[in-house]
């Protein structure tokens, strides 16, 4: 018999990846954390800068514009190949961190 979600207390594999991304990336945007966690799950160590940009762009595209966020009007909301080389490298730290999380998760499942 299935238990109602409010009575289930186990952590899923999704929760573990989301938690790892949240803790290790320093990102506070929950939607972006989930997109990056999905990249870890589907791309693993093969996550690229273009992937990270697409995850960010997906998140930014649906954010409300306000005093702290450009939302849909952000100047970097273009395909990765259209970004300047400098902008393409702004998220290298996230690429490396997501790859490291994927490696760590792989080691944990092997051992």
């Amino acid at each position: 018999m299935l238990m109602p979600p409010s009575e289930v207390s186990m952590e899923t594999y999704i929760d573990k990846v989301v938690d790892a991304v949240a803790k290790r990336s320093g990102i506070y945007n929950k939607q972006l954390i989930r997109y990056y966690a999905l990249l870890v799950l589907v791309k693993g160590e093969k996550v690229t800068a273009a992937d990270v940009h697409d995850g960010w762009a997906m998140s930014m595209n649906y954010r409300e514009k306000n005093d702290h966020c450009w939302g849909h009007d952000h100047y970097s909301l273009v395909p990765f190949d259209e970004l300047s080389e400098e902008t393409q490298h702004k998220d290298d730290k996230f690429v490396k961190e997501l790859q490291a999380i994927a490696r760590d998760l792989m080691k944990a499942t092997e051992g």
Side-chain angles (χ1 to χ4, degrees):
M1 175 175 175
L2 290 176
M3 295 174 61
S6 62
E7 295 180 29
V8 176
S9 62
M10 70 178 241
E11 182 179 55
T12 68
Y13 75 103
I14 300 291
D15 297 326
K16 290 177 184 176
V17 178
V18 169
D19 288 347
V21 172
K23 289 175 185 168
R24 293 171 59 171
S25 69
I27 296 171
Y28 299 102
N29 177 330
K30 289 181 182 182
Q31 185 179 42
L32 184 57
I33 290 167
R34 291 177 185 135
Y35 287 140
Y36 284 178
L38 180 61
L39 288 176
V40 169
L41 289 168
V42 301
K43 298 287 299 254
E45 290 185 74
K46 295 181 182 179
V47 170
T48 66
D51 297 328
V52 168
H53 173 72
D54 287 341
W56 170 86
M58 183 66 74
S59 175
M60 184 59 69
N61 192 64
Y62 296 102
R63 291 188 68 185
E64 294 291 325
K65 184 176 181 178
N66 59 45
D67 292 341
H68 306 289
C69 177
W70 291 18
H72 193 270
D73 295 333
H74 197 286
Y75 62 91
S76 292
L77 199 52
V78 297
F80 183 78
D81 293 340
E82 294 179 22
L83 296 169
S84 69
E85 188 172 338
E86 178 184 351
T87 302
Q88 286 182 355
H89 290 287
K90 281 190 172 185
D91 291 328
D92 285 349
K93 63 183 176 189
F94 295 118
V95 174
K96 291 176 184 169
E97 196 59 55
L98 296 179
Q99 291 170 343
I101 292 167
R103 264 191 308 279
D104 292 348
L105 291 171
M106 183 65 81
K107 287 178 190 174
T109 59
E110 291 174 353

